[in-house]
Amino acid sequence: MTQPQLIVGPGALGRLLAVRLSELAPVTLLGRRPPPTRLALTAPDGHIVQRRLTSETAASLAAPFRGTLHLTTKAYHAQAALDGLAQKLAPDTALVLWQNGYGVQRTLTRDWSGPVLCATTSEGAYVTADGVVHAGHGETYLGHLHGAYADLAERLAALLSRAGLHCRAVGDIDTRLWHKLAVNAAINPLVARWRIRNGQLRDRPFRPLVEALIDELVLVMEAEGIAPPAEGWRARVWRVIEGTANNRASMLQDVLAGRPTERDAILGPLLDAARRHGLEAPQLSALYDAVG
Ligand SMILES: NC(=O)C1=CN([C@@H]2O[C@H](COP(=O)(O)OP(=O)(O)OC[C@H]3O[C@@H](n4cnc5c(N)ncnc54)[C@H](OP(=O)(O)O)[C@@H]3O)[C@@H](O)[C@H]2O)C=CC1
Ligand SMILES: CC(C)(CO)C(=O)C(=O)O
């Protein structure tokens, strides 16, 4: 029997995981308020999957929970969500952190008593009233920041892949988190600041702004000792912009909905690294101030 899977954060990614994993394992979806017990997932091909799920809050969850906990809140809620539940969790509970950016990954890997794996995913999903739309298939990579728990990562990657979310266990998740963060930093704050779709970055007046951001990112990454992607930073950023040209990026969606953005998780590590290495990062700093 596959271990219980507790999904904390019943938003877009949490709902996608909950519906997909519930075909293979006992799944509980946990929110600040009780999440819906019936969810409809619209797959990228338009097919609709309906699922009944166990729904809990931190107060109602039976203790001790034993299994795998997928933390699918925004980065700025992750620590509080875990703190609110910690008393209910067996100390060896495995955590999978799904947040964008690179902040809580470091602190929870250091502080949590059990195994902590980090995931980086290019799956795309958004919430609807009665469920979730899986907007597009992507790739997920999963691993421990310092390469530990390789067997656990393999098992969970196999489970996620069987559930329809293509996933690979990797030994270099640290580098992959930096790479995703750098690409997000070159796109998200600019499109959020100017309220444009990703593809508009290809045109004037935005193109030179992206180029200037890439120049800053390259210096920070080099100073931090992060190897560039095989295709190079410039090609990577422009490839993602091309591939997501029609997207409203997550940070723009947050701004439009009046929610806080994940600027601390995405720009914070870059600005910290720039400070540590004595580098100027005027474009990144200005965007940090602009996006709120
Ligand atoms: N959506 C996507 O396609 C992708 C998302 N990601 C990353 O995944 C993370 C989650 O994103 P996404 O699903 O879009 O975000 P959402 O805002 O849709 O979902 C976050 C959920 O977390 C809930 N939450 C907040 N605090 C708590 C708490 N204390 N206990 C339980 N639940 C809580 C929120 O509930 P409430 O309604 O109460 O605020 C909300 O339902 C982000 O870091 C994002 O960058 C990465 C790749 C793709
Ligand atoms: C790659 C990108 C920018 C695609 O929109 C993304 O990951 C996001 O929206 O957060």
Side-chain angles (χ1 to χ4, degrees):
M1 176 72 167
T2 308
Q3 278 208 321
Q5 309 285 308
L6 174 62
I7 295 166
V8 177
L13 199 58
R15 290 175 182 210
L16 173 65
L17 289 178
V19 172
R20 285 301 182 201
L21 286 172
S22 66
E23 295 170 24
L24 301 170
V27 167
T28 300
L29 186 57
L30 185 145
R32 290 196 271 210
R33 294 167 295 285
T37 51
R38 291 177 70 90
L39 284 180
L41 179 147
T42 308
D45 64 3
H47 182 77
I48 295 179
V49 181
Q50 303 268 0
R51 283 277 176 272
R52 290 193 79 86
L53 294 165
T54 305
S55 144
E56 302 284 2
T57 62
S60 68
L61 183 73
F65 169 78
R66 291 181 194 284
T68 302
L69 187 159
H70 299 265
L71 196 51
T72 54
T73 65
K74 295 279 193 177
Y76 47 77
H77 283 144
Q79 183 73 57
L82 186 67
D83 289 348
L85 267 179
Q87 302 296 328
K88 300 272 182 100
L89 306 175
D92 59 351
T93 300
L95 302 186
V96 183
L97 309 180
W98 288 86
Q99 286 65 38
N100 264 343
Y102 200 161
V104 72
Q105 289 84 350
R106 251 193 287 245
T107 46
L108 287 178
T109 297
R110 187 189 62 210
D111 298 342
W112 179 244
S113 48
V116 177
L117 299 178
C118 301
T120 172
T121 186
S122 55
E123 298 286 353
Y126 59 89
V127 170
T128 58
D130 63 345
V132 59
V133 174
H134 186 187
H137 285 293
E139 297 283 329
T140 300
Y141 299 98
L142 189 65
H144 182 266
L145 280 190
H146 313 304
Y149 303 110
D151 290 352
L152 176 66
E154 290 289 352
R155 279 201 305 280
L156 281 170
L159 177 69
L160 287 160
S161 293
R162 274 193 289 134
L165 302 169
H166 194 253
C167 184
R168 190 148 68 82
V170 293
D172 62 349
I173 196 74
D174 174 74
T175 305
R176 288 173 189 273
L177 287 168
W178 274 112
H179 282 189
K180 176 112 195 282
L181 175 147
V183 171
N184 282 150
I187 301 174
N188 281 2
L190 263 184
V191 296
R193 163 79 178 81
W194 297 105
R195 301 184 178 217
I196 54 175
R197 289 184 192 257
N198 295 357
Q200 291 174 263
L201 293 174
R202 294 173 296 191
D203 307 322
R204 286 203 160 267
F206 304 110
R207 196 174 186 94
L209 302 181
V210 177
E211 290 291 338
L213 273 170
I214 298 173
D215 289 342
E216 279 184 20
L217 287 165
V218 168
L219 291 179
V220 176
M221 289 291 153
E222 263 173 24
E224 195 64 15
I226 309 298
E231 66 202 303
W233 283 114
R234 218 161 286 282
R236 167 67 64 93
V237 169
W238 286 112
R239 183 167 62 78
V240 174
I241 290 172
E242 202 59 51
T244 61
N246 211 26
N247 275 28
R248 279 203 183 88
S250 55
M251 203 175 270
L252 173 58
Q253 291 181 41
D254 289 336
V255 166
L256 294 176
R259 293 186 296 255
T261 70
E262 293 189 298
R263 69 173 181 170
D264 285 310
I266 292 173
L267 295 174
L270 290 164
L271 292 172
D272 284 350
R275 258 189 302 274
R276 262 187 284 111
H277 298 292
L279 294 169
E280 299 283 320
Q283 316 288 332
L284 292 165
S285 300
L287 283 169
Y288 180 89
D289 293 338
V291 290

